[in-house]
Amino acid sequence: MTEFPQVMINLDYLEQNVRTVMGRCADAGVSVAGVVKGATGIAECIEVFAKGGATQIASSRLEQLETAKKLDTGLPLMLIRIPMMSEAADAVRLADISLNSEITVLRELDRQAGIAGKRHGVILMADLGDLREGFWDRTELIDAAVEVETGLQNLELKGVGTNLGCYGAIQPTTEKLDELVSIAEQVEKAIGRNLEIISGGATSSYMRILDGNLPEKINHLRIGEQILNAYDLEKYYGYDLSDMHSDVFTLRAEVVEVKTKPTHPVGEVGVDAFGRRLTYEDRGIRRRAIVAVGKADIGDSDNIFPADGGIEVLGGSSDHTILDVEDAEREIKPGDILDFAVNYGAVLYLTGSANVKIRFHKSVK
Protein backbone atom coordinates (compact mmCIF):
# COMPACT_ATOMS: atom_id res chain seq x y z
CA MET A 1 0.00 0.00 0.00
CA THR A 2 1.09 3.56 -0.67
CA GLU A 3 2.66 5.69 2.04
CA PHE A 4 0.54 8.71 1.12
CA PRO A 5 -1.23 10.73 2.27
CA GLN A 6 0.67 10.77 5.54
CA VAL A 7 1.06 13.04 8.53
CA MET A 8 4.53 13.43 10.00
CA ILE A 9 4.60 14.11 13.75
CA ASN A 10 7.74 15.64 15.23
CA LEU A 11 7.81 14.29 18.78
CA ASP A 12 10.69 16.56 19.83
CA TYR A 13 8.74 19.65 18.82
CA LEU A 14 5.69 18.31 20.60
CA GLU A 15 7.63 17.74 23.81
CA GLN A 16 9.07 21.24 23.65
CA ASN A 17 5.55 22.65 23.30
CA VAL A 18 4.30 20.60 26.24
CA ARG A 19 7.15 21.79 28.44
CA THR A 20 6.71 25.42 27.40
CA VAL A 21 3.00 25.46 28.24
CA MET A 22 3.44 23.51 31.46
CA GLY A 23 6.24 25.81 32.56
CA ARG A 24 4.34 29.02 31.90
CA CYS A 25 1.26 27.70 33.65
CA ALA A 26 3.25 26.39 36.62
CA ASP A 27 4.77 29.85 37.06
CA ALA A 28 1.19 31.16 37.37
CA GLY A 29 0.23 28.47 39.88
CA VAL A 30 -1.88 26.60 37.33
CA SER A 31 -1.88 22.86 36.64
CA VAL A 32 -2.77 21.57 33.17
CA ALA A 33 -4.73 18.64 31.84
CA GLY A 34 -3.05 17.72 28.57
CA VAL A 35 -5.83 17.26 26.02
CA VAL A 36 -4.90 14.57 23.49
CA LYS A 37 -8.17 14.42 21.50
CA GLY A 38 -6.78 16.73 18.79
CA ALA A 39 -4.24 14.03 17.94
CA THR A 40 -6.91 11.31 18.27
CA GLY A 41 -5.25 9.98 21.40
CA ILE A 42 -2.21 8.57 19.57
CA ALA A 43 -0.19 6.59 22.12
CA GLU A 44 3.13 8.24 21.23
CA CYS A 45 1.58 11.69 21.75
CA ILE A 46 0.04 10.67 25.07
CA GLU A 47 3.47 9.55 26.26
CA VAL A 48 4.98 12.91 25.31
CA PHE A 49 2.24 14.81 27.19
CA ALA A 50 2.99 12.70 30.26
CA LYS A 51 6.75 13.09 29.90
CA GLY A 52 6.40 16.85 29.44
CA GLY A 53 4.65 17.41 32.77
CA ALA A 54 0.88 17.27 32.25
CA THR A 55 -1.10 16.95 35.49
CA GLN A 56 -3.78 14.78 33.87
CA ILE A 57 -4.31 13.21 30.46
CA ALA A 58 -7.61 14.41 29.05
CA SER A 59 -9.81 13.49 26.11
CA SER A 60 -13.42 13.72 25.01
CA ARG A 61 -13.38 10.10 23.84
CA LEU A 62 -13.33 7.09 26.11
CA GLU A 63 -11.47 4.93 23.59
CA GLN A 64 -8.58 7.41 23.77
CA LEU A 65 -8.59 7.26 27.56
CA GLU A 66 -8.49 3.48 27.25
CA THR A 67 -5.29 3.84 25.21
CA ALA A 68 -3.88 6.10 27.92
CA LYS A 69 -4.89 3.66 30.64
CA LYS A 70 -3.03 0.83 28.90
CA LEU A 71 0.08 3.01 28.70
CA ASP A 72 0.04 3.33 32.49
CA THR A 73 1.56 6.82 32.60
CA GLY A 74 0.67 7.16 36.27
CA LEU A 75 -1.40 10.28 35.57
CA PRO A 76 -5.11 10.65 36.35
CA LEU A 77 -7.36 10.44 33.29
CA MET A 78 -9.99 13.11 32.64
CA LEU A 79 -13.10 12.80 30.45
CA ILE A 80 -13.76 16.29 29.11
CA ARG A 81 -16.96 15.65 27.15
CA ILE A 82 -19.87 15.43 29.57
CA PRO A 83 -20.68 11.71 29.82
CA MET A 84 -23.54 10.03 28.04
CA MET A 85 -25.84 8.21 30.43
CA SER A 86 -25.22 5.06 28.38
CA GLU A 87 -21.46 5.26 28.90
CA ALA A 88 -21.50 5.92 32.66
CA ALA A 89 -20.08 2.50 33.51
CA ASP A 90 -17.21 2.91 31.05
CA ALA A 91 -16.64 6.50 32.19
CA VAL A 92 -16.14 5.26 35.75
CA ARG A 93 -13.95 2.39 34.55
CA LEU A 94 -11.66 4.49 32.36
CA ALA A 95 -11.71 8.03 33.75
CA ASP A 96 -10.65 9.20 37.17
CA ILE A 97 -12.39 12.55 36.70
CA SER A 98 -15.22 13.69 34.41
CA LEU A 99 -16.82 17.04 33.59
CA ASN A 100 -20.56 17.10 34.32
CA SER A 101 -23.65 19.25 33.95
CA GLU A 102 -26.64 16.92 34.56
CA ILE A 103 -27.70 15.70 37.99
CA THR A 104 -29.31 12.57 36.52
CA VAL A 105 -26.01 11.60 34.91
CA LEU A 106 -24.19 12.31 38.17
CA ARG A 107 -26.55 9.95 39.97
CA GLU A 108 -25.88 7.25 37.38
CA LEU A 109 -22.12 7.78 37.70
CA ASP A 110 -22.53 7.38 41.45
CA ARG A 111 -24.46 4.15 40.95
CA GLN A 112 -21.89 2.75 38.54
CA ALA A 113 -19.01 3.78 40.78
CA GLY A 114 -20.70 1.92 43.62
CA ILE A 115 -20.99 -1.21 41.50
CA ALA A 116 -17.31 -0.92 40.54
CA GLY A 117 -16.24 -0.21 44.11
CA LYS A 118 -14.59 3.06 43.04
CA ARG A 119 -14.63 6.74 43.90
CA HIS A 120 -15.06 8.86 40.79
CA GLY A 121 -14.06 12.52 40.70
CA VAL A 122 -16.35 15.10 39.12
CA ILE A 123 -16.05 18.72 38.05
CA LEU A 124 -19.31 20.64 37.70
CA MET A 125 -19.37 22.83 34.61
CA ALA A 126 -20.81 26.35 34.62
CA ASP A 127 -22.04 27.91 31.38
CA LEU A 128 -20.80 31.50 31.42
CA GLY A 129 -22.37 32.42 28.08
CA ASP A 130 -20.61 30.34 25.43
CA LEU A 131 -23.76 28.16 25.43
CA ARG A 132 -22.06 24.82 25.14
CA GLU A 133 -22.11 22.50 28.18
CA GLY A 134 -22.67 23.62 31.76
CA PHE A 135 -25.26 24.58 34.33
CA TRP A 136 -26.85 27.88 33.37
CA ASP A 137 -28.84 28.30 36.57
CA ARG A 138 -26.43 28.97 39.44
CA THR A 139 -28.82 27.64 42.07
CA GLU A 140 -29.11 24.38 40.14
CA LEU A 141 -25.31 24.07 40.07
CA ILE A 142 -24.98 24.70 43.80
CA ASP A 143 -27.78 22.25 44.58
CA ALA A 144 -26.00 19.63 42.44
CA ALA A 145 -22.74 20.33 44.26
CA VAL A 146 -24.41 19.83 47.64
CA GLU A 147 -26.01 16.58 46.48
CA VAL A 148 -22.68 15.25 45.19
CA GLU A 149 -20.96 16.28 48.40
CA THR A 150 -23.51 14.92 50.84
CA GLY A 151 -25.65 12.40 49.00
CA LEU A 152 -23.61 10.66 46.29
CA GLN A 153 -21.15 8.68 48.34
CA ASN A 154 -19.25 7.19 45.41
CA LEU A 155 -18.45 10.55 43.81
CA GLU A 156 -15.88 13.10 44.89
CA LEU A 157 -16.58 16.73 44.08
CA LYS A 158 -13.23 17.90 42.73
CA GLY A 159 -14.25 21.35 41.62
CA VAL A 160 -16.00 23.55 39.12
CA GLY A 161 -15.06 24.53 35.59
CA THR A 162 -16.14 26.30 32.45
CA ASN A 163 -15.62 26.24 28.71
CA LEU A 164 -15.30 29.39 26.62
CA GLY A 165 -14.64 30.11 22.96
CA CYS A 166 -15.60 26.75 21.44
CA TYR A 167 -19.21 27.30 20.37
CA GLY A 168 -20.30 30.87 21.04
CA ALA A 169 -16.78 32.33 20.62
CA ILE A 170 -17.15 34.08 23.98
CA GLN A 171 -13.75 35.24 25.15
CA PRO A 172 -12.27 34.20 28.51
CA THR A 173 -11.85 37.73 29.80
CA THR A 174 -10.83 38.31 33.39
CA GLU A 175 -14.41 39.42 34.05
CA LYS A 176 -15.80 36.13 32.72
CA LEU A 177 -13.35 34.08 34.72
CA ASP A 178 -14.12 36.14 37.83
CA GLU A 179 -17.69 34.84 37.40
CA LEU A 180 -16.33 31.30 37.69
CA VAL A 181 -14.40 32.23 40.81
CA SER A 182 -17.59 33.66 42.31
CA ILE A 183 -19.45 30.43 41.55
CA ALA A 184 -16.64 28.40 43.09
CA GLU A 185 -16.80 30.51 46.25
CA GLN A 186 -20.56 30.00 46.49
CA VAL A 187 -20.08 26.23 46.13
CA GLU A 188 -17.34 26.25 48.76
CA LYS A 189 -19.63 28.11 51.16
CA ALA A 190 -22.44 25.64 50.51
CA ILE A 191 -20.31 22.52 51.10
CA GLY A 192 -18.13 23.98 53.85
CA ARG A 193 -14.71 23.32 52.31
CA ASN A 194 -12.36 24.50 49.59
CA LEU A 195 -12.48 22.99 46.13
CA GLU A 196 -9.38 21.31 44.75
CA ILE A 197 -9.89 22.42 41.13
CA ILE A 198 -11.21 25.61 39.55
CA SER A 199 -10.78 24.85 35.85
CA GLY A 200 -10.79 28.04 33.81
CA GLY A 201 -11.15 26.64 30.32
CA ALA A 202 -9.05 25.49 27.41
CA THR A 203 -6.49 26.96 24.99
CA SER A 204 -8.35 30.26 24.71
CA SER A 205 -7.84 30.81 28.44
CA TYR A 206 -4.08 30.44 27.94
CA MET A 207 -4.25 34.06 26.76
CA ARG A 208 -4.73 35.03 30.40
CA ILE A 209 -1.50 33.19 31.25
CA LEU A 210 0.36 35.02 28.49
CA ASP A 211 -1.08 38.37 29.63
CA GLY A 212 -0.46 37.64 33.32
CA ASN A 213 -4.05 38.45 34.31
CA LEU A 214 -5.62 35.10 35.14
CA PRO A 215 -7.77 35.47 38.26
CA GLU A 216 -5.80 34.17 41.23
CA LYS A 217 -8.15 31.37 42.26
CA ILE A 218 -8.20 29.78 38.78
CA ASN A 219 -5.74 26.92 39.24
CA HIS A 220 -6.39 24.57 36.34
CA LEU A 221 -6.67 24.63 32.53
CA ARG A 222 -7.38 21.97 29.89
CA ILE A 223 -5.03 22.57 26.96
CA GLY A 224 -4.69 20.75 23.66
CA GLU A 225 -4.53 22.98 20.58
CA GLN A 226 -1.92 25.36 22.01
CA ILE A 227 0.38 22.40 22.59
CA LEU A 228 -0.35 20.47 19.41
CA ASN A 229 -0.34 23.40 17.00
CA ALA A 230 0.53 26.69 18.72
CA TYR A 231 -1.38 28.35 15.89
CA ASP A 232 -4.72 29.95 16.79
CA LEU A 233 -3.58 32.46 19.41
CA GLU A 234 -0.94 33.88 17.10
CA LYS A 235 -3.07 33.92 13.94
CA TYR A 236 -6.32 35.21 15.41
CA TYR A 237 -5.20 37.22 18.44
CA GLY A 238 -1.66 38.33 17.59
CA TYR A 239 0.23 36.62 20.43
CA ASP A 240 3.95 36.03 20.04
CA LEU A 241 4.39 32.25 20.07
CA SER A 242 7.96 32.25 18.78
CA ASP A 243 8.99 30.06 21.72
CA MET A 244 6.75 27.26 20.41
CA HIS A 245 6.50 25.04 17.34
CA SER A 246 3.55 25.41 14.97
CA ASP A 247 4.99 22.62 12.79
CA VAL A 248 4.60 19.58 15.03
CA PHE A 249 2.39 18.06 12.31
CA THR A 250 3.12 18.08 8.56
CA LEU A 251 0.80 16.68 5.90
CA ARG A 252 2.47 14.99 2.92
CA ALA A 253 0.33 14.28 -0.16
CA GLU A 254 1.01 12.97 -3.65
CA VAL A 255 0.23 14.85 -6.84
CA VAL A 256 -2.07 12.82 -9.12
CA GLU A 257 -2.81 15.34 -11.88
CA VAL A 258 -1.28 18.48 -13.35
CA LYS A 259 -3.23 20.23 -16.14
CA THR A 260 -3.76 23.68 -17.60
CA LYS A 261 -7.46 24.50 -17.17
CA PRO A 262 -9.90 27.40 -16.82
CA THR A 263 -10.20 28.89 -13.34
CA HIS A 264 -13.97 29.23 -13.50
CA PRO A 265 -16.20 26.12 -13.80
CA VAL A 266 -17.75 25.82 -17.25
CA GLY A 267 -21.53 25.34 -17.38
CA GLU A 268 -24.50 26.04 -15.10
CA VAL A 269 -23.29 26.29 -11.50
CA GLY A 270 -25.32 24.56 -8.77
CA VAL A 271 -24.21 23.27 -5.37
CA ASP A 272 -21.06 21.27 -4.66
CA ALA A 273 -20.86 17.75 -3.21
CA PHE A 274 -21.43 19.17 0.28
CA GLY A 275 -24.53 21.17 -0.63
CA ARG A 276 -22.74 24.53 -0.68
CA ARG A 277 -23.21 27.19 -3.33
CA LEU A 278 -19.74 28.59 -3.97
CA THR A 279 -18.39 31.54 -5.93
CA TYR A 280 -15.35 31.28 -8.19
CA GLU A 281 -12.92 33.92 -9.45
CA ASP A 282 -12.18 33.85 -13.16
CA ARG A 283 -8.41 34.27 -13.49
CA GLY A 284 -8.16 32.91 -17.00
CA ILE A 285 -6.32 29.73 -17.95
CA ARG A 286 -3.85 28.54 -15.32
CA ARG A 287 -1.90 25.45 -14.36
CA ARG A 288 -3.59 23.38 -11.67
CA ALA A 289 -2.60 20.28 -9.71
CA ILE A 290 -4.58 17.77 -7.69
CA VAL A 291 -3.24 15.97 -4.61
CA ALA A 292 -4.76 12.75 -3.33
CA VAL A 293 -6.13 14.01 -0.04
CA GLY A 294 -9.52 15.55 0.56
CA LYS A 295 -12.09 16.85 2.98
CA ALA A 296 -12.65 13.35 4.36
CA ASP A 297 -9.05 13.59 5.60
CA ILE A 298 -8.57 17.29 6.40
CA GLY A 299 -12.05 18.58 7.17
CA ASP A 300 -11.82 21.64 4.96
CA SER A 301 -9.45 22.76 2.23
CA ASP A 302 -8.73 25.96 4.18
CA ASN A 303 -7.09 23.88 6.94
CA ILE A 304 -3.88 23.19 5.01
CA PHE A 305 -1.11 25.51 3.80
CA PRO A 306 1.44 24.58 1.09
CA ALA A 307 5.09 24.57 2.14
CA ASP A 308 6.20 25.31 -1.45
CA GLY A 309 6.15 28.93 -2.48
CA GLY A 310 3.77 30.04 -5.21
CA ILE A 311 1.19 27.30 -4.62
CA GLU A 312 -2.38 28.18 -3.65
CA VAL A 313 -5.09 25.89 -2.30
CA LEU A 314 -8.22 26.45 -4.37
CA GLY A 315 -10.60 23.96 -2.78
CA GLY A 316 -11.48 20.34 -3.03
CA SER A 317 -13.87 17.45 -2.65
CA SER A 318 -13.99 14.41 -0.38
CA ASP A 319 -10.85 12.86 -1.85
CA HIS A 320 -9.12 15.60 -3.88
CA THR A 321 -7.52 18.93 -3.08
CA ILE A 322 -7.07 21.30 -6.02
CA LEU A 323 -4.06 23.61 -6.17
CA ASP A 324 -3.08 26.53 -8.36
CA VAL A 325 0.55 25.85 -9.32
CA GLU A 326 0.90 28.41 -12.12
CA ASP A 327 3.37 30.44 -10.02
CA ALA A 328 4.99 27.52 -8.18
CA GLU A 329 8.67 27.99 -7.44
CA ARG A 330 9.43 24.56 -8.89
CA GLU A 331 7.91 22.39 -11.58
CA ILE A 332 5.08 20.27 -10.16
CA LYS A 333 4.37 16.92 -11.82
CA PRO A 334 2.40 13.74 -11.07
CA GLY A 335 4.12 11.59 -8.46
CA ASP A 336 5.61 14.58 -6.61
CA ILE A 337 5.10 14.72 -2.86
CA LEU A 338 3.99 18.09 -1.51
CA ASP A 339 4.20 19.14 2.14
CA PHE A 340 1.58 21.22 3.91
CA ALA A 341 1.43 22.96 7.25
CA VAL A 342 -1.85 22.22 9.03
CA ASN A 343 -4.08 23.82 11.61
CA TYR A 344 -5.86 22.15 14.53
CA GLY A 345 -8.90 21.21 12.47
CA ALA A 346 -6.76 19.36 9.94
CA VAL A 347 -4.81 17.56 12.67
CA LEU A 348 -8.07 16.39 14.22
CA TYR A 349 -9.22 14.91 10.91
CA LEU A 350 -5.86 13.61 9.68
CA THR A 351 -4.96 11.68 12.81
CA GLY A 352 -8.44 10.15 12.90
CA SER A 353 -8.53 9.09 9.24
CA ALA A 354 -7.92 5.41 8.50
CA ASN A 355 -6.64 6.49 5.08
CA VAL A 356 -3.79 8.64 6.39
CA LYS A 357 -0.52 7.04 7.50
CA ILE A 358 0.97 8.27 10.79
CA ARG A 359 4.74 8.60 10.86
CA PHE A 360 7.03 9.96 13.58
CA HIS A 361 10.36 11.70 13.51
CA LYS A 362 12.60 13.57 15.92
CA SER A 363 14.64 16.64 15.12
CA VAL A 364 15.38 19.77 17.09
CA LYS A 365 15.82 23.19 15.53
Side-chain angles (χ1 to χ4, degrees), residues 24 90 291 350:
R24 282 184 175 272
D90 284 333
V291 288
L350 285 165

Side-chain angles (χ1 to χ4, degrees), residues 66-100:
E66 188 160 31
T67 298
K69 195 174 187 71
K70 291 175 181 176
L71 291 172
D72 194 21
T73 65
L75 296 180
L77 304 181
M78 179 180 286
L79 177 62
I80 59 170
R81 182 170 68 183
I82 51 178
M84 292 182 274
M85 187 84 77
S86 60
E87 68 182 1
D90 284 333
V92 166
R93 178 175 63 88
L94 295 170
D96 300 290
I97 305 169
S98 61
L99 310 186
N100 286 270

Side-chain angles (χ1 to χ4, degrees), residues 1-8 251-255 292-293 297 335-339 355-357 359:
M1 296 290 287
T2 179
E3 274 287 294
F4 302 99
Q6 68 176 224
V7 59
M8 295 290 295
L251 166 64
R252 310 196 74 209
E254 184 171 338
V255 177
V293 67
D297 310 299
D336 285 350
I337 307 302
L338 300 183
D339 288 356
N355 303 309
V356 177
K357 310 299 186 297
R359 298 292 179 261

Side-chain angles (χ1 to χ4, degrees), residues 104-351:
T104 53
V105 176
L106 286 160
R107 290 167 184 161
E108 180 62 13
L109 288 170
D110 178 66
R111 189 177 77 86
Q112 294 294 341
I115 293 171
K118 295 182 65 175
R119 288 267 288 172
H120 180 74
V122 296
I123 293 173
L124 303 186
M125 297 296 282
D127 190 336
L128 301 183
D130 201 62
L131 302 182
R132 205 179 75 172
E133 81 277 38
F135 290 92
W136 180 256
D137 185 277
R138 302 298 182 254
T139 300
E140 184 186 2
L141 188 154
I142 293 168
D143 288 345
V146 171
E147 181 170 342
V148 171
E149 182 75 5
T150 62
L152 303 181
Q153 300 304 314
N154 303 301
L155 300 185
E156 180 182 357
L157 180 59
K158 291 284 190 179
V160 297
T162 196
N163 183 78
L164 293 163
C166 283
Y167 170 71
I170 298 302
Q171 294 303 290
T173 61
T174 53
E175 292 77 15
K176 275 293 174 190
L177 293 176
D178 278 336
E179 289 182 38
L180 180 64
V181 170
S182 174
I183 290 167
E185 290 173 344
Q186 292 174 61
V187 169
E188 289 174 337
K189 182 178 179 181
I191 65 174
R193 66 172 177 87
N194 292 335
L195 295 169
E196 177 185 336
I197 295 173
I198 303 178
S199 189
T203 287
S204 59
S205 295
Y206 187 67
M207 290 189 286
R208 303 285 68 79
I209 296 288
L210 294 173
D211 289 343
N213 60 359
L214 186 74
E216 186 174 345
K217 288 197 71 171
I218 304 290
N219 63 2
H220 184 271
L221 295 176
R222 311 174 307 277
I223 299 181
E225 187 278 331
Q226 178 60 29
I227 292 169
L228 295 169
N229 281 88
Y231 177 83
D232 283 6
L233 299 190
E234 184 168 62
K235 178 176 176 61
Y236 300 115
Y237 299 103
Y239 283 89
D240 178 8
L241 301 179
S242 56
D243 60 343
M244 300 191 70
H245 295 281
S246 61
D247 52 352
V248 173
F249 298 83
T250 301
L251 166 64
R252 310 196 74 209
E254 184 171 338
V255 177
V256 293
E257 178 185 294
V258 181
K259 303 285 187 188
T260 299
K261 296 184 180 183
T263 51
H264 194 283
V266 179
E268 184 176 343
V269 176
V271 298
D272 69 4
F274 294 86
R276 299 184 304 178
R277 196 174 297 276
L278 304 178
T279 58
Y280 304 90
E281 179 184 1
D282 190 344
R283 299 167 64 188
I285 304 296
R286 293 178 66 86
R287 197 159 179 81
R288 297 152 73 89
I290 296 175
V291 288
V293 67
K295 294 180 180 180
D297 310 299
I298 60 176
D300 193 281
S301 305
D302 292 339
N303 289 338
I304 65 173
F305 315 95
D308 282 81
I311 297 180
E312 178 186 354
V313 176
L314 297 176
S317 60
S318 300
D319 307 299
H320 305 82
T321 297
I322 302 166
L323 311 171
D324 184 306
V325 297
E326 178 75 20
D327 301 320
E329 293 178 350
R330 63 182 172 102
E331 181 186 0
I332 306 299
K333 58 187 183 302
D336 285 350
I337 307 302
L338 300 183
D339 288 356
F340 299 83
V342 293
N343 65 15
Y344 182 74
V347 172
L348 187 67
Y349 276 88
L350 285 165
T351 55

Side-chain angles (χ1 to χ4, degrees), residues 49-64:
F49 270 77
K51 181 180 178 183
T55 303
Q56 299 100 11
I57 298 296
S59 179
S60 57
R61 308 299 172 115
L62 285 173
E63 59 268 25
Q64 296 175 20

